[in-house]
Amino acid sequence: MASRLLHRLRHALAGDNPGEAAAGPEAEQFPESSELEDDDAEGLSSRLSGTLSFTSAEDEEDEDDEDDGEVGPDPLPSGDGASGEDAERSPPPDGQRGSQPLARQLQDFWKKSRNTLVPQRLLFEVTSANVVKDPPSKYVLYTLAVMGPGPPSRQPAQISRRYSDFERLHRNLQRQFRGPMAAISFPRKRLRRNFTAETIARRSRAFEQFLSHLQAVPELRQAPDLQDFFVLPELRRAQSLTCTGLYHEALALWANAWQLQTQLGTPLGPDRPLLTLAGLAVCHQELEDPGEARACCERALQLLGDKNPHPLLAPFLEAHVRLSWRLGLDKRQSEARLQALQEAGLTPTPPPSLKELLIKEVLD
């Protein structure tokens, strides 16, 4: 680590001068931490070269305006704010180019560990960090690529979060998992220099390490708060766009949310995957792609299986019957199952549509 080498160099220089080697902060053992000192910024920026892009740093006099909880926790933002959709994001090609080095590293790791008992882990990379001005506040939005098992050509899922989102996740997990969280470091708060390139680079690296450490601990990996951190803002934004008829934009968010859930696993039950498949089916149908919409319905019916009636079961069956009829495909099994539910009084006739349930669903 650059920080450790610099400390050893300083310690060696201090040893040549007994008068300056008095006990003090620099004479103590320097712990390795996710938050590096200012002297380490140059080395860290070099390590991130080619994988991280960020907007130009702001002037010093504006740095005290950041509202990311630098002097205290900020209130919980809405779903839209958490996902940072109002930020001026870097163009997708830049992020895609930036993720290539780590993607190659990931593929090499999977090849080496394919025949071992070591679990395959996700990798996280900050591909861009943008300063967002939303008067009267200003903050940095970090876009991370989430890379899991799959072909090298597959584009990674992405999330965009700000410091306060990471800090809230860290605080919630500390309350629930004191033991496992004791060994996981987090970048400390700062009163100034929040928008310099060095601070952004250090925090980007720290956030990558923070998520990697969380994902490596099974108890933390399955925590509801961690699942919410990755998926909930995307689901809320996708739902909002679908309900307002912006199906192209919503489809990309539903697809990204589905990929995230596939990579992270779904230990909390099938409800969110089913809601995601409902969103995908509705968007594909509205965009005149009945084949993809039907495939989403079939995947949802597989997840539902033969369990007790779920609120989404009848809507998925109704959509599958209608789409199968439109495509000239067999619909008898879904028709019979839907009819059985209606005769048993378990669903109204006709059942609510997927879009109706999607609008009414409350994501918390």
Side-chain angles (χ1 to χ4, degrees):
M1 293 291 295
S3 58
R4 191 167 295 175
L5 292 174
L6 288 171
H7 169 65
R8 289 177 180 173
L9 180 59
R10 289 194 294 265
H11 185 70
L13 293 175
D16 295 336
N17 241 329
E20 297 178 1
E26 300 243 344
E28 298 175 358
Q29 179 64 30
F30 188 88
E32 182 175 347
S33 171
S34 291
E35 179 70 274
L36 306 179
E37 296 298 329
D38 290 343
D39 293 340
D40 302 325
E42 183 177 355
L44 179 58
S45 299
S46 298
R47 291 198 300 277
L48 290 172
S49 177
T51 63
L52 171 65
S53 62
F54 45 81
T55 57
S56 58
E58 300 295 322
D59 294 335
E60 289 288 332
E61 60 267 19
D62 295 333
E63 289 175 356
D64 294 334
D65 297 333
E66 185 175 24
D67 66 341
D68 280 344
E70 298 303 317
V71 293
D74 59 351
L76 180 66
S78 64
D80 291 351
S83 61
E85 70 280 355
D86 55 344
E88 296 180 1
R89 305 173 187 268
S90 297
D94 292 341
Q96 294 169 9
R97 287 195 299 269
S99 65
Q100 291 305 312
L102 193 56
R104 287 194 294 271
Q105 175 189 347
L106 186 63
Q107 292 300 318
D108 293 340
F109 170 76
W110 286 328
K111 289 177 182 178
K112 294 177 182 178
S113 63
R114 183 167 47 190
N115 297 323
T116 69
L117 297 178
V118 178
Q120 295 180 345
R121 292 165 51 184
L122 299 179
L123 291 183
F124 306 94
E125 182 186 19
V126 176
T127 57
S128 67
N130 299 328
V131 177
V132 180
K133 292 184 178 180
D134 186 16
S137 64
K138 182 173 69 171
Y139 57 90
V140 180
L141 189 73
Y142 299 86
T143 298
L144 295 99
V146 182
M147 286 168 277
S153 59
R154 184 179 183 182
Q155 292 299 327
Q158 288 193 343
I159 60 172
S160 294
R161 301 290 183 269
R162 52 196 286 188
Y163 180 94
S164 58
D165 298 322
F166 286 98
E167 195 273 338
R168 188 180 304 107
L169 172 64
H170 180 253
R171 185 173 64 246
N172 291 341
L173 291 178
Q174 274 191 319
R175 284 200 299 260
Q176 303 171 50
F177 306 96
R178 292 187 179 273
M181 289 297 295
I184 297 179
S185 57
F186 187 78
R188 62 177 178 264
K189 297 177 181 179
R190 301 177 66 102
L191 295 176
R192 292 184 59 81
R193 298 180 60 81
N194 290 302
F195 301 102
T196 64
E198 292 82 4
T199 298
I200 292 174
R202 285 198 306 273
R203 284 188 172 176
S204 298
R205 178 61 175 167
F207 290 148
E208 293 170 356
Q209 294 175 343
F210 174 64
L211 294 178
S212 295
H213 292 165
L214 294 180
Q215 205 270 337
V217 181
E219 188 177 7
L220 300 175
R221 184 167 60 242
Q222 299 179 4
D225 282 290
L226 185 59
Q227 298 283 323
D228 286 348
F229 173 83
F230 281 110
V231 179
L232 191 55
E234 272 60 37
L235 291 179
R236 284 173 170 164
R237 181 60 178 159
Q239 181 188 41
S240 175
L241 290 172
T242 304
C243 294
T244 54
L246 299 174
Y247 300 113
H248 280 288
E249 295 84 347
L251 181 59
L253 286 174
W254 288 120
N256 188 64
W258 175 256
Q259 188 174 348
L260 284 168
Q261 291 172 84
T262 302
Q263 292 175 340
L264 296 167
T266 53
L268 303 181
D271 284 355
R272 285 186 180 172
L274 288 173
L275 181 67
T276 306
L277 288 169
L280 286 169
V282 168
C283 289
H284 281 303
Q285 183 175 332
E286 295 292 339
L287 295 172
E288 298 299 324
D289 192 350
E292 287 294 331
R294 184 178 183 273
C296 293
C297 293
E298 288 188 334
R299 183 71 182 93
L301 293 174
Q302 290 174 1
L303 288 178
L304 288 164
D306 297 325
K307 299 177 183 178
N308 293 329
H310 188 279
L312 284 170
L313 176 58
F316 271 119
L317 287 171
E318 187 273 337
H320 188 262
V321 169
R322 180 165 32 80
L323 292 166
S324 297
W325 176 84
R326 182 176 176 181
L327 294 168
L329 300 174
D330 185 19
K331 56 184 174 60
R332 288 172 294 179
Q333 185 175 355
S334 295
E335 242 177 359
R337 193 175 178 187
L338 179 59
Q339 184 177 356
L341 290 175
Q342 291 172 335
E343 291 175 352
L346 298 176
T347 187
T349 304
S353 68
L354 288 175
K355 189 174 183 180
E356 289 172 343
L357 287 186
L358 200 63
I359 294 174
K360 296 177 182 178
E361 183 69 21
V362 178
L363 286 166
D364 51 18

